[in-house]
Amino acid sequence: MTAALRALAGTGEALVTACAPGAEARWPALHAKARDDGDRSVRTEAFDARATGLWELADAVWFSAFFVPDSGGGRRLWNRYVNYEHPTRRTEDGFDTFDLAVDLVVTPDLTRWGWKDEDEYAHERRLGIVSGAEYQAVDDAIETAVTSLDPGNCDDTGTGA
């Protein structure tokens, strides 16, 4: 099985990766089921299982893309995306990631932004999956990301994406 993340460059301080639609991956089984069935309520069960440490991995396929076809036959940026997760770890099998659920989605022109999956992030916090120190680190990273946007052009009404 190929890894969903493909390393493009790596140093001791940064790992640059790409993940193309169709890339094979391993995800927590309940997350894969929720995605396959289109049932977000199963994602809550997935976080509950994650909190106990009793969860299994299942084969999955990455389908999202940040570039979509444009009317001229080329590609255009669909959105900008800040994913909050633990640092990626290299393993014998590839890379392990640990997504913290909350994401910042920004329009390509940086004029609007909004949060994705705040409810799941709050649930992870209640379950103890996200520690107080991690919560503070994410909060600091969120503040950094938001302040890097031009406050004169952005609001927090969401992206519609």
Side-chain angles (χ1 to χ4, degrees):
M1 173 173 280
T2 60
L5 292 177
R6 182 174 179 199
L8 302 177
T11 68
E13 295 182 19
L15 175 64
V16 179
T17 63
C19 184
E24 297 174 347
R26 306 265 302 150
W27 291 346
L30 287 171
H31 282 284
K33 179 175 176 26
R35 187 174 187 165
D36 291 346
D37 295 351
D39 183 357
R40 283 188 60 88
S41 67
V42 176
R43 288 174 60 103
T44 300
E45 293 176 44
F47 290 118
D48 295 344
R50 191 184 210 180
T52 67
L54 302 174
W55 51 277
E56 296 177 9
L57 290 175
D59 293 341
V61 175
W62 183 255
F63 70 87
S64 295
F66 296 102
F67 289 90
V68 295
D70 67 12
S71 58
R75 297 182 316 150
R76 68 174 174 80
L77 182 63
W78 177 53
N79 67 25
R80 297 172 189 265
Y81 198 89
V82 181
N83 187 55
Y84 295 92
E85 62 184 48
H86 285 179
T88 299
R89 275 187 322 116
R90 185 181 290 274
T91 69
E92 286 183 12
D93 298 322
F95 300 97
D96 279 350
T97 61
F98 191 92
D99 194 325
L100 296 174
V102 71
D103 306 295
L104 178 66
V105 182
V106 183
T107 57
D109 63 2
L110 305 176
T111 59
R112 293 186 302 149
W113 57 270
W115 301 111
K116 180 177 175 281
D117 302 329
E118 287 177 284
D119 57 334
E120 293 177 354
Y121 183 59
H123 188 63
E124 282 186 322
R125 181 88 166 105
R126 284 190 300 275
L127 292 170
I129 294 171
V130 176
S131 71
E134 289 170 322
Y135 180 81
Q136 185 60 54
V138 169
D139 202 41
D140 292 346
I142 287 170
E143 184 176 331
T144 299
V146 170
T147 57
S148 72
L149 300 171
D150 181 356
N153 293 330
C154 297
D155 61 40
D156 61 355
T157 59
T159 64

